[in-house]
Amino acid sequence: MAELGTGTLELGELTDADAQRYCRRFAAQQPLLLAELITWVADTGGPLDELDATWASLVPLWRWYVSFAEQGFPGIPGSVRPLSWVPVATPGCAHDVEPGAVQRRSSYAAQAVAAYCYHVLQRLAPQARWVPIDLPGAPGVRVHGHQLPALEVGGLLPLSLHTLSGLCARLLDEDPLWAHVRQPQALVQHLQRVSAPFVPGLWERPLAPDAACLPAPGRRTPAWPYAPFEPTGGYFCAQRLGPRARQGLPRPPGAEQAPWPHDGELLRFPFVISTLTDRRRRALLEEGVDVFDAARDVARLPPIPSAGLHEGLIALGFTGPDSPRLDEQEQHYLFMGQEAGLEVYTECHGGRLRLVRTEPIGAQGCSLQSPTGRWLVHQLQLLAAELGAGLHLEDV
């Protein structure tokens, strides 16, 4: 197959039917990915005899995976694409820049690690299945940016492949803030952290070793494992949000008189809430430092009062979690009005809320330049000011 520029589709931009079809396709690939992972372990002299499909086996698996990543993912062709790839020219793909060979190998290998975790979890909870991730309190409105589904167990989501893929990607990050991901316990700790709020004690359930339930090594990774996913309903599809938008919050009183923000670009592009001043950020940008990009720099931002942010968002009509959390698992809030929608998600480091990112909802008839959108941005500016923060464009 000829080399093509590739992007990544987002489940949030698919119709419900296409998202479910994608999840079924993803589930069908798990045995093949698992077989390839076992082959990589065998070919590199890894701890094959310690992989017995138990919770404890995740420690030697991750110890091996760190070394595997440091070696450049031997056995994985540089042409591989993750299951979520689409040609860059496809309207609605998440990226328009061709990822490098190392990033492609990393994304592919992360899906194989997830296949092993899925295999262990299926032994713990046979009813587990792959589903798209919906925003809390907003069924049918999926989390922005998630290209991978999550595992559902009894209506709960103990494993998000999006966060697991991010953990694997951190091995390529030289930022000292992420040095802990190279520790043998990092995978176990990650799974405990992201699953505990949903299914407490899930990974601690007794599970007997069973190496025989794993495939034998021998499956080689194809140069082009997957054809691109072809949705029948198109990308950036408004069907998934149309009914919710029509039933969404009505125009708030006084929205027609809502002022335009001092920076009109806030109505067109993603912005953040941060305690950093515009003057200080300009000075840092001149030094080549983008504090909204590297986790190390975000972690140094002065904190934002998390309780005040949570209460303020809920008061404005956002749906979201019952209470704020301050670990590294981001929390999502959604404002869905009849003419404007906005997703908000938090970024915490060191047990403090450091940054709040936003993403406008691009449903048909929804725009932050509408009266509701202008009102919402103005209210967020007032809320940020109360918290000692401000609104800033994420990309400059």
Side-chain angles (χ1 to χ4, degrees), residues 272-285 289-292 297 300-304 354-355 388-392:
V272 301
I273 300 175
S274 164
T275 52
L276 191 70
T277 64
D278 284 329
R279 177 180 297 180
R280 178 59 179 155
R281 190 188 182 197
R282 283 195 295 269
L284 290 171
L285 286 171
V289 178
D290 187 349
V291 291
F292 299 157
D297 298 322
R300 295 172 180 169
L301 290 172
I304 301 169
R354 306 290 178 177
L355 192 66
L391 270 56
H392 315 273

Side-chain angles (χ1 to χ4, degrees), residues 23-113:
C23 286
R24 290 194 296 271
R25 183 192 193 204
F26 196 93
Q29 295 297 324
Q30 298 309 299
L32 300 179
L33 285 166
L34 184 60
E36 290 173 31
L37 175 72
I38 297 301
T39 300
W40 304 335
V41 173
D43 288 350
T44 56
L48 201 59
D49 57 340
E50 297 182 68
L51 302 186
D52 54 12
T54 62
W55 166 256
S57 70
L58 296 177
V59 174
L61 172 67
W62 189 252
R63 185 188 298 114
W64 165 82
Y65 186 80
V66 170
S67 174
F68 184 61
E70 291 173 345
Q71 296 173 47
F73 307 100
I76 304 181
S79 58
V80 295
R81 301 294 190 274
L83 187 61
S84 55
W85 83 274
V86 292
V88 155
T90 304
C93 72
H95 306 289
D96 57 4
V97 177
E98 171 71 19
V102 174
Q103 285 75 20
R104 292 198 296 267
R105 291 188 181 103
S106 174
S107 296
Y108 190 87
Q111 292 187 11
V113 171

Side-chain angles (χ1 to χ4, degrees), residues 209-251:
D210 186 6
C213 72
L214 295 171
R219 175 176 167 79
R220 303 299 170 188
T221 304
W224 284 88
Y226 312 119
F229 181 77
E230 297 183 0
T232 58
Y235 296 98
F236 284 123
C237 191
Q239 290 104 302
R240 69 178 183 94
L241 283 175
R244 174 161 290 276
R246 288 193 294 273
Q247 300 168 10
L249 297 172
R251 180 179 291 180

Side-chain angles (χ1 to χ4, degrees), residues 359-383:
E359 186 70 33
I361 298 295
Q364 186 175 13
C366 285
S367 170
L368 289 184
Q369 299 184 54
S370 66
T372 297
R374 297 200 312 272
W375 173 88
L376 181 59
V377 172
H378 179 62
Q379 295 299 315
L380 289 176
Q381 286 180 314
L382 296 177
L383 174 60

